[in-house]
Amino acid sequence: HADVDHFNAVPNLLDRFHVGTISITPSMYAQTAPATEALIKAIRAHRIPLQLVQEGDRLAIDESVELRILHPPPDEPTQSDNANSVVLEIATGGFRMLLPGDLERDGLDELLSEMPRDYDVVMAPHHGSPNSRPNEFLTWSTPKHVIVSSSKHLDIPKLEDASPASTRFHYTARAGAITITVHAHDVQ
């Protein structure tokens, strides 16, 4: 979605790495803020195809990895930008991970109205903020690992209180970059 903290590094990454395609939502593409316009300009300057994605889309990486877009719906509501965040489910060899961006409000309501799912790893929506309704989200997703991406400590006890004791929490504010390694029967 169009929050600068989610895409401000992309122009520099385009200079450093080969990028085949960039996937965004129609609402992000329609943004007219200077930062999003600069992003689109950088993508075009590098001649990288833009792919618009929405709920129900599947993205191909290879035959062993499945990427599914769980949100936003095709008829994107005109609500807050956070509510239109892309929610990406990644599955491979029995491992499942969920990346919900800054999902909150109506968008979170829509996701939580779906059948609950079990995930090995989830990123806490909206950096673990109270607006992401941690109790409901963590009950719905039943993760083994929760990553909280934030430059500061949020209300960490509330996040951890919302999960079983077996759930492991990982905070970028404490650890910096976090790497998930998937093995045949284990996640590290």
Side-chain angles (χ1 to χ4, degrees):
H1 70 292
D3 282 1
V4 173
D5 66 317
H6 287 256
F7 69 84
N8 61 354
V10 171
N12 290 330
L13 293 172
L14 299 179
D15 290 335
R16 295 182 61 200
F17 300 100
H18 169 75
V19 176
T21 303
I22 293 183
S23 302
I24 62 175
T25 65
S27 67
M28 171 130 181
Y29 186 72
Q31 291 285 326
T32 59
T36 52
E37 288 178 348
L39 172 68
I40 300 300
K41 183 178 178 181
I43 293 168
R44 286 185 178 142
H46 284 83
R47 297 183 178 162
I48 298 170
L50 272 174
Q51 175 181 19
L52 300 181
V53 295
Q54 60 191 10
E55 178 184 330
D57 288 345
R58 294 177 188 275
L59 307 176
I61 291 185
D62 69 34
E63 45 191 62
S64 68
V65 178
E66 181 180 22
L67 301 177
R68 292 182 3 170
I69 306 296
L70 302 182
H71 187 81
D75 58 341
E76 284 187 61
T78 56
Q79 46 187 248
S80 81
D81 187 46
N82 287 346
N84 288 322
S85 288
V86 169
V87 177
L88 180 65
E89 179 183 86
I90 303 168
T92 182
F95 167 82
R96 288 169 33 119
M97 182 161 77
L98 186 67
L99 304 174
D102 277 354
L103 193 67
E104 61 182 18
R105 298 189 182 126
D106 295 345
L108 187 59
D109 290 341
E110 290 172 19
L111 182 68
L112 296 179
S113 72
E114 301 291 324
M115 290 293 294
R117 295 175 165 98
D118 294 327
Y119 289 98
D120 296 288
V121 177
V122 300
M123 173 98 39
H126 203 187
H127 314 281
S129 76
N131 288 341
S132 67
R133 301 190 340 245
N135 290 344
E136 293 171 66
F137 177 77
L138 296 175
T139 297
W140 179 84
S141 60
T142 62
K144 296 174 186 164
H145 297 268
V146 177
I147 298 171
V148 182
S149 175
S150 178
S151 62
K152 61 182 178 196
H153 295 282
L154 295 171
D155 202 352
I156 289 171
K158 285 186 180 177
L159 282 173
E160 294 183 5
D161 290 346
S163 285
S166 61
T167 303
R168 296 190 56 208
F169 285 80
H170 311 277
Y171 301 92
T172 60
R174 290 181 185 161
I178 295 171
T179 301
I180 299 295
T181 305
V182 180
H183 301 281
H185 302 288
D186 187 23
V187 176
Q188 292 180 332

